[in-house]
Amino acid sequence: MLMPPPLRSGDKVRFVSPASSPDRDKVLRNAEILNGWGLTVDFGEHTFRKWNYLAGTDEERLSDLNAALRDTDVRAIFTTRGGKGSYRIADQLDFAAARRDPKFVIGFSDITALHLILLRHCHQVGIHGAFSIGPGEESVSPYTHDSLRQALMTTGDIIIAARTEEPTSRLTTEGTAEGRLIGGNLDMVAASAGWALPDMHGAILLLEAIGLYPGQVDRQMTMLRKAGYLDGLAGVAVGQFTDFEFDRPYSVMDILREHLAELNVPILGGLPLGHGDSPASVFLGAVAELDAKARILAIRRGNI
């Protein structure tokens, strides 16, 4: 695997918008946080561009992302937001530049498509996370802030404890598993099947979602499972499923439980990864240890 080195004070990082248009004020506030960490921040040419529901045309968004991959002074690439659109340009990334000069790509949600295709073509570790502000939060929580900084700027292990208050905690079974953590947003995992999705044999599948109808979740899980993309998994890590009705008689939890039970692997739910309150950051592509009894997902830096 290509594991980018930790960032150091003075390193340059760049914001780009490969998907939907961001809120400029939020991006500038996030840039101030990074400046406070001692990092130097700059912006892609089209970072704040708006073109329909996208942050610029496909050519403009791709140009910014590839320019950041090719720039040896840029040591990490922050995506401003998800939304829609990164899947439109993912297959045109400069994979040779990514292999030549590994650097973290940071983001989640729609950005899952970029993480998956960089894993498929470059075996590059990425960071599922961002300066996310969850429901009811007016600013980045200390937990989210510290989790992202630890992933980016330290060499310590990443230990994420599941939360019983997350609805997906009900999916937790028993057992332990070890494998590369692959996945992210369910919508993007399904959209990537057949062209951007890497081989997941022996992997721990990470899933999170926001605002889907139960039937959409059912269709996506059915396709992934019956097409064989989930064969040979070592385990499943379930993050935050946000904006769902969990108290209905047949909820998304029932749908997920039915599909995941067919895999006969350990499942750990309730992980603070996704669009919910105070999400954490985690390495995608790194070897993870899942312990359903201890309710812990751990990434040991020495195992990457």
Side-chain angles (χ1 to χ4, degrees):
M1 300 300 294
L2 294 178
M3 180 67 179
L7 298 183
R8 300 174 298 177
S9 180
D11 280 347
K12 178 189 286 189
V13 300
R14 180 171 297 168
F15 280 97
V16 298
S17 299
S20 294
S21 299
D23 181 306
R24 178 186 289 267
D25 290 340
K26 287 183 179 179
V27 175
L28 295 180
R29 286 198 298 270
N30 293 340
E32 290 178 5
I33 294 174
L34 295 177
N35 284 328
W37 294 354
L39 301 172
T40 301
V41 181
D42 72 4
F43 302 88
E45 180 181 355
H46 306 97
T47 300
F48 301 109
R49 174 101 155 82
K50 293 183 179 181
W51 189 82
N52 294 318
Y53 56 85
L54 302 170
T57 65
D58 288 353
E59 292 77 14
E60 290 169 338
R61 299 187 335 276
L62 179 65
S63 174
D64 280 4
L65 187 50
N66 276 338
L69 289 171
R70 294 164 183 156
D71 190 334
T72 56
D73 289 334
V74 172
R75 303 318 312 148
I77 302 170
F78 281 82
T79 59
T80 59
R81 63 163 295 186
K84 296 176 177 65
S86 65
Y87 48 84
R88 294 171 59 100
I89 61 174
D91 62 329
Q92 300 173 70
L93 296 185
D94 189 337
F95 299 115
R99 287 189 290 266
R100 189 167 56 245
D101 182 24
K103 60 192 74 175
F104 285 122
V105 174
I106 302 103
F108 72 112
S109 193
D110 190 81
I111 305 305
T112 295
L114 301 182
H115 289 311
L116 292 173
I117 206 161
L118 284 167
L119 277 171
R120 180 182 174 113
H121 288 280
C122 306
H123 305 290
Q124 178 173 303
V125 173
I127 294 180
H128 180 283
F131 289 115
S132 179
I133 299 176
E137 295 180 349
E138 295 183 1
S139 61
V140 177
S141 73
Y143 177 81
T144 295
H145 174 285
D146 293 345
S147 179
L148 182 54
R149 190 177 189 279
Q150 180 184 6
L152 275 171
M153 301 190 72
T154 78
T155 57
D157 296 340
I158 305 296
I159 311 293
I160 301 176
R163 299 172 183 165
T164 56
E165 65 268 25
E166 291 287 350
T168 61
S169 66
R170 305 177 215 162
L171 299 173
T172 300
T173 59
E174 58 185 19
T176 61
E178 181 174 298
R180 297 204 178 275
L181 188 67
I182 298 177
N185 181 259
L186 171 59
D187 208 14
M188 287 300 96
V189 171
S192 298
W195 65 281
L197 195 62
D199 180 13
M200 294 197 292
H201 280 78
I204 294 174
L205 172 64
L206 171 64
L207 293 176
E208 62 88 16
I210 181 170
L212 299 175
Y213 291 109
Q216 290 177 286
V217 173
D218 191 27
R219 284 195 296 268
Q220 291 169 353
M221 292 299 300
T222 296
M223 185 279 292
L224 289 168
R225 187 167 60 81
K226 294 196 173 186
Y229 290 107
L230 307 186
D231 291 350
L233 287 176
V236 179
V238 189
Q240 296 165 319
F241 272 60
T242 310
D243 294 344
F244 288 88
E245 296 178 356
F246 297 106
D247 56 355
R248 59 194 302 166
Y250 185 60
S251 76
V252 69
M253 291 298 104
D254 299 301
I255 294 168
L256 287 170
R257 186 178 291 108
E258 288 178 354
H259 286 287
L260 297 178
E262 294 292 323
L263 304 178
N264 295 311
V265 297
I267 300 165
L268 175 60
L271 291 164
L273 296 167
H275 295 77
D277 289 322
S278 299
S281 292
V282 71
F283 293 122
L284 291 177
V287 175
E289 301 169 6
L290 181 154
D291 189 326
K293 182 177 180 180
R295 295 178 175 267
I296 291 292
L297 181 71
I299 293 178
R300 318 289 179 184
R301 298 270 187 160
N303 292 341
I304 293 173

